[in-house]
Amino acid sequence: MKIGNLDLGDKPLFLAPMEDVTDASFRVLCREQGADMVYTEFIPSDGLIRDAAKAIAKMRTSPSEAPIGIQIYGHIPESMVEAAKMADKASEIAGGHGADVIDINFGCPVTKIAGRGAGSGMMRYPDRMVAITEAVVKAVDKPVTVKTRLGWDDDSKIIVELAERLQDVGIQALTIHGRTRCQMYRGSADWTLIGEVKNNPRMHIPIIGNGDITDGPGAREAFDRYGVDGIMVGRASFGHPWIFREIKHYLATGEPMKEPSVREKVELARRHLDLSVALKGQPRGIYEMRRHLSCYFKGLPDFKPVRMKMVTTLDLDELYGILDYICKQYD
């Protein structure tokens, strides 16, 4: 599969862009664990053009994360174009590796974004969505991709026609989450329309499927039954960066990968923690790890008291001690 000249190999796996989740520390870890491409947290176009420090910082990437997409969102065409130009020059503006791909977020369903017409809120305004996409494609040198949903609600699943229109204005890959905006993350993802887009004879760009992929068998079905070119993994990666290795092992062998030992999970959690603290300092690097730390050790018996200590302390040495205790107690 290729996005422009970027060759991602056969059946690539992508880490979904997720706010407060896919920071640099987690992206590095997921690349090490087999993700073929990762994305930044989604960045507001108005924040970039205002030169907001937080938005600029989100564009900072490193070679160890590459290939990487910088994802932007917004609903004002002029702002989106200016933000895309900044993302195109991210290595100069924010430092580091920069972007290999510029991705437009037309998929986020949260009210504070979709409610003002950005993210998946743009599904109600497909003409505007296509116009913004075309303007961004014309404004930048790097490949432009889009991530979106099936439609606004069950009565407006417009993705088949919309995919053609987005392709026609120059995007080089399309990621489709198999839910409508109104579904948010409820119910099951519907992959039938993703498959319909992929099997549309007019489509020639790669189609990446997203939604409810949690293991190797699910990934194999998505590839074999619906024909997608790549798969994007989102919430199933929380505290579970080795999911990419698991999926690749199953695709290659047809057998489940052996579950990592508690010791291996502790080592990964410690590596993640060290990366987070190195990038963000203390206590922020610890605080922003809590979402993941609470998930690394799911299923361990009588673990609640340990988990509570782990996600409430901001003392790095105490956290190291808790991780050592987990290894000794449960491995």
Side-chain angles (χ1 to χ4, degrees):
M1 172 186 158
K2 287 187 175 183
I3 299 177
N5 294 321
L6 185 65
D7 192 342
L8 297 168
D10 186 42
K11 297 181 178 178
L13 305 178
F14 298 77
L15 172 66
M18 293 174 282
E19 182 70 1
D20 298 326
V21 176
T22 55
D23 63 4
S25 62
F26 192 54
R27 297 193 302 260
V28 168
L29 202 62
C30 288
R31 285 284 289 125
E32 291 174 354
Q33 291 295 309
D36 295 290
M37 185 168 173
V38 297
Y39 294 80
T40 63
E41 301 168 82
F42 38 87
I43 305 172
S45 57
D46 53 353
L48 282 181
I49 64 175
R50 289 197 319 268
D51 202 29
K54 184 176 181 180
I56 296 292
K58 285 184 177 181
M59 290 202 304
R60 191 174 301 123
T61 64
S62 67
S64 56
E65 302 168 49
I68 183 166
I70 290 180
Q71 191 186 73
I72 60 173
Y73 74 90
H75 64 288
I76 300 172
E78 296 79 9
S79 297
M80 286 291 284
V81 167
E82 290 307 309
K85 290 179 179 178
M86 294 179 71
D88 200 29
K89 305 296 182 184
S91 61
E92 301 169 23
I93 296 170
H97 173 78
D100 297 289
V101 167
I102 297 169
D103 190 65
I104 304 177
N105 180 335
F106 290 139
C108 179
V110 300
T111 300
K112 70 177 182 179
I113 293 175
R116 58 177 177 151
S120 60
M122 198 64 72
M123 300 300 289
R124 292 182 292 179
Y125 313 104
D127 291 345
R128 189 185 307 171
M129 181 194 292
V130 172
I132 288 174
T133 303
E134 183 174 19
V136 167
V137 168
K138 290 178 177 177
V140 300
D141 295 323
K142 292 186 173 66
V144 174
T145 60
V146 163
K147 185 173 190 287
T148 190
R149 289 187 167 226
L150 303 179
W152 176 258
D153 58 23
D154 286 341
D155 295 324
S156 58
K157 292 182 179 180
I158 60 173
I159 190 58
V160 176
E161 177 189 357
L162 179 63
E164 291 187 17
R165 296 181 66 188
L166 292 169
Q167 173 184 261
D168 290 348
V169 298
I171 68 167
Q172 298 194 40
L174 176 64
T175 301
I176 305 170
H177 183 108
R179 290 180 174 87
T180 65
R181 186 274 162 180
C182 289
Q183 276 185 273
M184 301 292 284
Y185 296 102
R186 296 185 296 270
S188 299
D190 178 5
W191 279 72
T192 56
L193 283 177
I194 300 176
E196 192 171 331
V197 171
K198 174 57 193 174
N199 294 301
N200 179 351
R202 282 210 66 239
M203 297 298 295
H204 56 79
I205 61 172
I207 302 300
I208 303 160
N210 176 221
D212 297 348
I213 300 297
T214 61
D215 55 25
R220 171 168 283 184
E221 180 182 21
F223 281 122
D224 293 349
R225 183 174 179 182
Y226 302 105
V228 293
D229 300 284
I231 286 172
M232 183 171 282
V233 178
R235 291 172 293 164
S237 68
F238 289 7
H240 188 184
W242 60 90
I243 189 173
F244 300 99
R245 280 198 296 126
E246 287 179 338
I247 291 173
K248 287 190 169 183
H249 180 87
Y250 189 89
L251 292 176
T253 68
E255 299 291 335
M257 187 184 84
K258 183 181 177 183
E259 173 90 5
S261 68
V262 171
R263 183 175 297 274
E264 289 171 323
K265 292 179 182 180
V266 166
E267 289 173 357
L268 280 171
R270 185 185 289 268
R271 167 117 175 99
H272 193 173
L273 177 61
D274 288 343
L275 284 168
S276 185
V277 170
L279 288 163
K280 298 178 180 179
Q282 298 184 57
R284 184 181 165 209
I286 298 172
Y287 180 79
E288 295 191 7
M289 264 290 293
R290 287 177 175 174
R291 180 191 298 268
H292 294 282
L293 283 173
S294 65
C295 297
Y296 265 101
F297 306 104
K298 279 184 177 179
L300 292 182
D302 304 316
F303 192 70
K304 185 176 180 180
V306 181
R307 180 182 292 111
M308 289 304 296
K309 288 182 181 179
M310 189 165 54
V311 300
T312 53
T313 183
L314 290 173
D315 184 280
L316 187 59
D317 288 335
E318 185 177 4
L319 264 177
Y320 286 149
I322 293 169
L323 290 171
D324 288 341
Y325 170 81
I326 293 169
C327 197
K328 293 174 183 175
Q329 184 71 17
Y330 291 97
D331 189 43

